[in-house]
């Protein structure tokens, strides 16, 4: 094996062999900065590994010479090719000639846990490629043992053949021969705190969480944030995050401050790490003591002379609580493109996109169509905007919170979005070029018109997992996923997404939003208008076909169709003459509107009956916003009159989102409710008295509030006592994965989330179930 490249010995001519991540760290460590030690497994080793893959398949045999240019529009084929290539790599043998030197070198650190970080260098004339792969390749943790190291190497290498990676190489015209993937190996120690420091001329920002930084990377905590004034180092503002869990090293011999860890469990696929629940007192404290905060600020001040005014570092404070040492773990120097952050909002749908702005100041005046790929800037978005949003590259709204219509639509459609961006329509002009960061909730204005900067913008747009118009496939079911007992369902409304979603590791559709589904067939007219104009039969056929597409795609898995839940102000362009009540936060919502005017509800039931008559028995009905038992009984009778209950598999459920259900659930069960689905969005706004559409109240609209969590726990317990299933389909589990621990502990039957949250929710459920199993085993042993 070629020699290992230690960070403190890497030279300029080694850059292609060690990759950019390791190269930048080497420059810093060699200038005396505190960098976590490490060495690099050269990119040449991957080439030798690929050359020696022993397979008669031409796909694999020709791999070292492949262009990787596949038909990426055929997503099924793309997934199959990616799965086959990765499986070939993961089952191949890594020779002891390579593994032994790595193991012997790592043993010098006397640690039980290693992290393998992909360090990539792409040989291409296209500028900025290596700066734009954030999130494409992920770090891999493993125990410091030969077999574990070999598997971790293969898992790291195989990532360049994931579907989204292949799509990225295709977009940029990159051949495999241009990809140099090295692996940076570093020790993992228990950490007091970890996070990042991001600097620019206008302000610095420090993010921090307790324990290892993987909790931030996985989105399982909301980190503490410190805003720092450049030059002076003064802390201008600090915001306490939400940190319910932390990560540590499974190393009792280390004597680290986290041992023993209460309520801890080994994490799936990360067998040297454990997760642990933070005591409530620690959750309410900032992650950084003043001493450590000042050390990070001082380090940033020193690095300005090395890296310039704009850079990002990731850091960790390793050791015991009283004697921690600050280390740099990653360095990202400034990019040549000039961004100026000038608007801050709420990150509602993740990703980063660069495009031209289109500003619409009056949301009541919807255009007939929008230019493809623009960033739409508008005061607010109502559901009837849905058909127009299919073409946009990003969304900025001045109003709305994380559970607003704009946020929900953006997440389902995979469109990067920032909401509650105050004065956006005033500060932004049509035609301006923007960088929209949906993860950080920030909008940047791009300065300059040079060809290089415009090319850089296009490159950022081509990231398949950030760019909505690329229509990258969702990850398919993979064999390495752990088994889970809690059902995982998906929230959907758009039939155009079925093909991408149906192969996700889900047990069905937990929420089919009818009000968004039918916007694609109404042609801007309220259903009442269709009925009054004698077009009921035509509408029934279209409605039935829409539902049938979901029933067909997911059969025999269940589909929970939620009947219409409209407020008149949600659909101004579809407002109906029959609606006479003034606008309010609630309006004539849900089942109450069916009592006032049952015609549309009866049409929905006929559509469901048509689906049953076509032979599909997997569609159930979910009643929205049920206020009283009388409303439920009225709807149940309508269901019986439509003969839906003639099919034995049919179930009539109700949403548990109006607080009265906390007192009336036994009565609902007696009246025929076969199950409940907790809607955390409405339950939270009604319990706390906060309009979910008002982004300025985001800090008050808190699904993790003790009152909300207590209500959820009570509903789950009441459902168990009544022997009916209890699901949850609001945004809370997707936005705050740490809630999943409690849901699983309390006995939730199923969790339903947006497609983009399926993968992380699956893993969160697996970790929660594993913790419960271990806790039960420990109790039995004791």
């Amino acid at each position: 094996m070629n020699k290992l490249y230690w960070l403190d010995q890497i030279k300029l001519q080694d850059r292609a062999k060690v990759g950019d991540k390791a190269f930048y760290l080497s420059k810093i460590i060699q200038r005396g900065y505190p960098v976590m030690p490490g060495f690099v497994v050269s990119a040449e080793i991957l080439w030798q590994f690929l050359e020696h893959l022993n397979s008669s398949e031409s796909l694999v045999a020709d791999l070292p010479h492949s262009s990787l240019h596949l038909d990426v529009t055929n997503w099924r084929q793309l997934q199959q090719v990616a799965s086959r290539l990765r499986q070939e790599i993961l089952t191949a043998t890594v020779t002891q000639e390579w593994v032994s030197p790595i193991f012997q070198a790592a043993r010098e650190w006397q640690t039980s846990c290693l992290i393998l970080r992909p360090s990539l260098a792409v040989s291409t004339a296209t500028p900025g490629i290596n700066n734009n792969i954030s999130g494409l390749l992920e770090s891999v943790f493993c125990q410091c043992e030969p077999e574990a190291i070999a598997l971790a190497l293969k898992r790291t290498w195989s990532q360049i053949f994931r579907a989204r990676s292949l799509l990225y190489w295709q977009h940029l015209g990159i051949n495999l021969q241009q990809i140099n993937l090295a692996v940076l190996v570093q020790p993992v120690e228990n950490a007091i705190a970890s996070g990042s420091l991001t600097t620019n001329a206008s302000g610095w920002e420090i993010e921090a969480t307790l324990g290892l930084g993987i909790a931030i990377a996985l989105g399982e905590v909301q980190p503490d944030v410190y805003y720092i004034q450049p030059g002076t180092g003064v802390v201008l503002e600090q915001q306490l995050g939400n940190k319910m869990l932390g990560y540590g090293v499974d190393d009792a011999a280390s004597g680290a401050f986290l041992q023993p860890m209460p309520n801890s469990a080994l994490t799936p696929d990360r067998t040297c790490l454990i997760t642990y629940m933070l005591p409530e007192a620690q959750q309410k404290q900032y992650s950084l003591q003043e001493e450590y905060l000042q050390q990070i600020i001082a380090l940033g001040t020193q690095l300005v002379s090395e890296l310039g005014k704009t850079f990002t570092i990731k850091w960790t404070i390793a050791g015991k609580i009283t004697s921690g040492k600050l280390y740099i773990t990653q360095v990202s120097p400034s990019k040549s493109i000039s961004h100026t952050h000038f608007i801050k909002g709420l990150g509602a749908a993740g990703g980063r996109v660069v495009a031209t702005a289109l500003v619409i100041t009056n949301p009541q005046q919807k255009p007939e169509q929008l230019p493809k790929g623009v960033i739409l800037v508008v005061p607010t978005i109502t559901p009837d905007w849905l058909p127009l949003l299919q073409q946009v590259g990003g969304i900025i709204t001045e109003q709305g919170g994380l559970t607003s219509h704009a946020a929900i639509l953006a997440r389902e459609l995979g469109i990067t979005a920032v909401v509650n961006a105050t004065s956006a329509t005033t500060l932004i002009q049509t035609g301006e070029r923007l960088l929209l960061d949906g993860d950080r909730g920030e909008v940047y204005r791009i300065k300059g018109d040079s060809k290089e900067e415009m090319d850089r913008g296009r490159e950022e747009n081509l990231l398949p997992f950030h760019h909505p118009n690329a229509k990258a496939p969702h990850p398919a079911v993979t064999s390495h996923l752990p088994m889970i007992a809690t059902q995982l369902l998906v929230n959907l409304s758009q039939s155009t997404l079925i093909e991408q979603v149906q192969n996700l590791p889900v047990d069905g559709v937990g929420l089919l939003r009818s009000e968004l589904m039918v916007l694609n067939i109404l042609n801007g007219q309220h259903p009442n208008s269709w009925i009054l104009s004698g077009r009921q039969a035509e509408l029934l056929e279209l409605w039935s076909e829409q539902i049938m597409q979901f029933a067909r795609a997911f059969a025999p898995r269940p589909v929970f169709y939620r009947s219409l839940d409209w407020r008149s102000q949600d659909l101004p362009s579809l407002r109906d003459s029959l609606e006479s009540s003034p606008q309010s936060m609630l309006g004539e919502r849900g089942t109450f509107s069916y009592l006032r005017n049952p015609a549309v509800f009866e049409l929905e039931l006929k559509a469901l009956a048509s689906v049953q008559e076509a032979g599909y028995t997997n569609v159930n009905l979910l009643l929205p916003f049920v206020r009283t038992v009388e409303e439920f009984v009225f709807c149940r009778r309508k269901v019986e009159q439509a003969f839906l209950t003639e099919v034995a598999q049919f179930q009539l459920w109700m949403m548990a989102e109006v607080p009265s259900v906390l007192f009336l659930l036994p009565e609902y069960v007696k009246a025929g409710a076969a199950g409940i689905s907790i809607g955390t969005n409405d339950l939270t706004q009604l319990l706390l008295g906060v309009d979910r559409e008002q982004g300025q109240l985001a800090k008050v609209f808190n699904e993790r509030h003790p009152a909300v969590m207590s209500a959820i726990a009570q509903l789950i317990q009441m459902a168990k006592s009544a022997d009916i299933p209890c699901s949850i389909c609001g945004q809370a589990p997707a936005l705050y994965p740490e809630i999943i621990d409690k849901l699983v502990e309390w006995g939730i039957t199923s969790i339903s989330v947006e497609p983009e949250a399926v993968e992380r929710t699956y893993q969160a459920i697996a970790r929660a179930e594993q913790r419960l199993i271990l806790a039960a085993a420990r109790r039995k042993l004791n």
Side-chain angles (χ1 to χ4, degrees):
M1 176 181 178
N2 295 345
K3 69 183 181 71
L4 301 175
Y5 292 80
W6 290 86
L7 285 178
D8 58 0
Q9 299 173 9
I10 291 171
K11 299 178 175 59
L12 179 62
Q13 58 266 31
D14 300 327
R15 181 168 182 171
K17 297 177 183 177
V18 302
D20 286 346
K21 184 176 293 185
F23 179 73
Y24 290 131
L25 276 178
S26 73
K27 291 177 63 177
I28 296 301
I29 196 173
Q30 291 173 33
R31 293 177 185 177
Y33 289 92
V35 173
M36 186 66 73
F39 57 81
V40 180
V41 179
S42 166
E44 297 167 325
I45 300 301
L46 172 57
W47 280 102
Q48 294 177 37
F49 175 78
L50 294 177
E51 289 283 359
H52 288 87
L53 284 178
N54 185 18
S55 176
S56 58
E57 275 192 52
S58 59
L59 174 68
V60 179
D62 296 339
L63 190 56
H65 314 288
S66 172
S67 68
L68 297 183
H69 291 174
L70 310 170
D71 180 9
V72 296
T73 60
N74 186 339
W75 72 269
R76 285 185 183 276
Q77 183 186 71
L78 178 64
Q79 289 282 11
Q80 290 170 356
V81 170
S83 177
R84 183 69 189 92
L85 292 175
R86 296 189 69 203
Q87 186 65 22
E88 189 72 27
I89 290 172
L90 292 173
T91 56
T93 300
V94 181
T95 67
Q96 283 302 308
E97 178 187 353
W98 297 342
V99 175
S100 182
I102 299 172
F103 174 59
Q104 295 302 326
R107 286 183 66 183
E108 296 180 13
W109 294 319
Q110 297 183 336
T111 181
S112 66
C113 189
L114 303 175
I115 183 170
L116 278 62
R117 303 183 190 273
S119 186
L120 188 68
V122 178
S123 305
T124 173
T126 307
I129 292 295
N130 296 309
N131 286 332
N132 289 326
I133 61 162
S134 176
L136 190 65
L137 307 177
E138 300 157 3
S139 298
V140 175
F141 292 85
C142 74
Q143 292 178 322
C144 188
E145 298 174 356
E147 288 186 5
I149 291 171
L151 177 59
L153 273 175
K154 293 187 290 184
R155 288 179 59 198
T156 307
W157 289 335
S158 70
Q159 292 183 66
I160 63 175
F161 300 106
R162 290 195 292 196
R164 67 183 188 184
S165 299
L166 294 174
L167 186 58
Y168 183 66
W169 312 135
Q170 168 75 305
H171 274 305
L172 296 176
I174 295 173
N175 297 329
L176 182 59
Q177 294 75 26
Q178 297 172 273
I179 300 172
N180 297 302
L181 177 58
V183 181
L184 170 60
V185 182
Q186 293 176 294
V188 181
E189 300 180 26
N190 276 314
I192 298 169
S194 303
S196 63
L197 165 65
T198 301
T199 71
N200 57 55
S202 59
W204 292 9
E205 185 176 298
I206 296 172
E207 291 187 345
T209 192
L210 293 167
L212 297 173
I214 186 174
I216 298 177
L218 293 176
E220 294 181 342
V221 297
Q222 181 180 353
D224 302 330
V225 182
Y226 306 80
Y227 298 98
I228 314 299
Q229 186 176 60
T232 66
V234 172
V235 180
L236 301 174
E237 182 186 353
Q238 57 188 44
Q239 296 176 357
L240 186 66
N242 186 272
K243 313 175 295 294
M244 290 183 66
L245 58 82
Y247 280 82
V249 178
D250 182 29
D251 183 10
S254 70
F257 78 99
L258 289 175
Q259 303 293 337
M261 297 183 187
N263 303 319
S264 61
L266 292 174
T267 60
D269 290 331
R270 300 186 180 91
T271 51
C272 65
L273 296 185
I274 52 178
T275 56
Y276 55 95
M277 299 301 295
L278 292 170
E280 190 171 346
Q282 279 189 286
Q283 295 179 32
K284 296 178 180 178
Q285 295 174 356
Y286 282 93
S287 304
L288 290 172
Q289 297 178 7
E290 183 64 24
E291 172 192 357
Y292 295 132
L293 176 60
Q294 292 303 322
Q295 286 183 26
I296 296 168
I297 294 171
L299 178 60
T301 302
Q302 291 177 300
L303 285 170
V304 167
S305 62
E306 305 283 352
L307 304 173
K309 293 182 179 180
T310 304
F311 60 86
T312 297
I313 64 168
K314 292 187 178 179
W315 51 265
T316 189
I317 301 172
K320 298 182 179 180
I321 194 74
T322 56
S323 57
K325 182 175 180 181
L326 175 63
Y327 289 101
I328 300 171
T329 58
Q330 291 187 58
V331 177
S332 301
S334 60
K335 302 177 183 180
S336 59
I337 190 167
S338 174
H339 303 325
T340 303
H341 157 223
F342 71 109
I343 292 179
K344 176 77 174 175
L346 298 173
R352 298 172 77 236
V353 63
V354 173
T356 301
L358 174 65
V359 180
I360 297 176
T361 57
N362 185 355
Q364 305 297 328
Q365 298 177 352
K366 285 193 311 174
E368 291 187 5
Q369 59 183 14
L370 296 173
K372 186 173 182 179
V374 298
I375 294 176
L376 175 64
V377 187
V378 65
T380 187
I381 284 178
T382 50
D384 54 346
W385 277 77
L386 176 64
L388 286 172
L389 299 182
Q390 308 281 353
Q391 297 296 312
V392 305
I395 297 171
I396 302 172
T397 66
E398 294 180 319
Q399 303 168 28
L402 295 180
T403 59
S404 64
H405 293 302
I408 292 172
L409 290 172
R411 282 193 291 268
E412 178 165 343
L413 297 174
I415 301 171
T416 299
V418 172
V419 299
N420 196 42
T422 306
S423 303
T425 60
T426 303
L427 296 173
I428 300 172
Q429 295 182 354
T430 294
E432 280 193 286
R433 196 149 181 82
L434 305 177
L435 187 153
L436 182 63
D437 191 328
D439 297 305
R440 303 174 70 88
E442 295 175 347
V443 183
Y444 299 79
R445 180 181 286 121
I446 298 179
K447 293 182 178 180
D449 298 316
S450 71
K451 181 180 184 300
E452 180 180 343
E453 289 183 348
M454 292 302 100
D455 287 343
R456 182 72 53 80
R458 277 189 286 273
E459 288 158 20
E460 300 224 23
N461 247 1
L462 285 173
L463 282 170
F465 40 92
H466 286 158
H467 191 280
N469 294 322
K471 298 299 180 189
H474 290 284
V477 181
T478 52
S479 58
H480 71 271
L481 287 175
M483 294 292 292
I484 59 175
T486 307
Q487 285 191 321
L488 178 58
L489 306 169
V490 65
N491 300 338
L492 271 183
S493 68
Q494 301 305 293
S495 58
T496 55
L497 299 178
I498 288 176
E499 194 173 16
Q500 300 176 44
V501 172
Q502 67 185 111
N503 288 329
L504 287 175
V506 295
D507 297 297
V509 179
L511 176 62
L512 176 52
R513 295 188 179 97
S514 61
E515 60 274 4
L516 299 181
M517 180 196 77
V518 298
L519 287 175
N520 299 305
I521 61 174
L522 291 177
N523 294 327
Q525 293 181 294
H526 195 284
N528 277 322
S529 300
W530 287 68
I531 294 171
L532 294 174
S533 62
R535 301 173 65 196
Q536 179 170 339
E538 181 185 353
L539 181 57
L540 175 60
E541 183 179 352
L542 292 171
W543 210 305
S544 303
E545 178 53 36
Q546 282 285 309
I547 301 173
M548 208 172 304
Q549 290 183 61
F550 293 93
R552 184 186 305 121
F554 287 92
R557 293 174 287 178
V559 174
F560 287 86
Y561 171 90
R562 187 180 69 186
S563 49
L564 288 179
D565 187 20
W566 276 342
R567 300 177 303 173
S568 58
Q569 61 265 40
D570 289 342
L571 300 156
S573 62
L574 271 69
R575 201 161 289 154
D576 183 69
S577 58
L578 296 178
E579 297 172 343
S580 56
S581 62
Q583 291 189 21
S584 69
M585 184 180 79
L586 299 180
E588 293 183 1
R589 287 189 55 184
T591 53
F592 180 73
S593 68
Y594 307 165
L595 272 71
R596 297 265 298 182
N597 177 27
V600 177
F601 181 58
E602 291 170 352
L603 181 74
E604 288 186 272
L605 298 181
K606 289 178 182 177
L608 291 173
S610 297
V611 173
Q612 286 186 351
E613 290 167 6
Y616 297 103
T617 59
N618 58 324
V619 179
N620 305 297
L621 177 59
L622 187 56
L623 295 174
F625 215 77
V626 183
R627 293 178 173 93
T628 67
V629 177
E630 290 74 21
E631 289 177 12
F632 180 87
V633 170
F634 171 83
C635 294
R636 190 205 68 209
R637 288 172 178 163
K638 290 288 184 184
V639 167
E640 292 169 348
Q641 291 168 10
F643 303 108
L644 292 174
T645 53
E646 298 286 311
V647 173
Q649 296 93 326
F650 176 81
Q651 296 183 35
L652 177 61
W653 283 35
M654 60 174 282
M655 293 293 299
E657 52 196 350
V658 178
S660 60
V661 73
L662 293 165
F663 307 96
L664 297 174
L665 183 56
E667 300 303 316
Y668 285 119
V669 174
K670 289 179 184 177
I676 60 171
S677 185
I678 302 172
T680 56
N681 301 347
D682 278 318
L683 184 64
T684 301
Q685 80 166 347
L686 295 176
L687 281 173
L688 301 183
V690 181
D691 187 349
R692 56 188 270 202
E693 291 291 325
Q694 300 304 312
Q696 64 268 30
L697 300 176
K699 291 183 179 179
V700 185
F701 187 92
N702 180 11
E703 292 99 328
R704 298 159 295 179
H705 190 283
V708 180
M709 294 299 288
S710 177
I712 293 172
Q714 180 179 330
L715 286 168
I716 295 173
Q717 183 55 51
M718 292 173 75
K720 288 169 68 176
S721 299
D723 197 25
I724 62 170
C726 178
S727 184
I728 188 167
C729 65
Q731 297 299 318
L735 293 175
Y736 312 109
E738 65 270 20
I739 290 177
I740 292 171
D741 275 83
K742 289 296 183 183
L743 294 175
V744 173
E745 179 185 337
W746 293 334
I748 197 77
T749 309
S750 59
I751 299 174
S752 191
V753 296
E754 311 301 319
E756 57 87 23
V758 164
E759 190 172 6
R760 66 176 183 269
T761 304
Y762 193 109
Q763 296 291 357
I765 292 173
R767 285 192 295 272
E769 292 182 349
Q770 181 68 11
R771 273 190 283 272
L772 285 177
I773 293 170
L774 288 175
R778 286 169 181 154
R779 286 195 299 270
K780 189 174 181 180
L781 289 173
N782 293 332

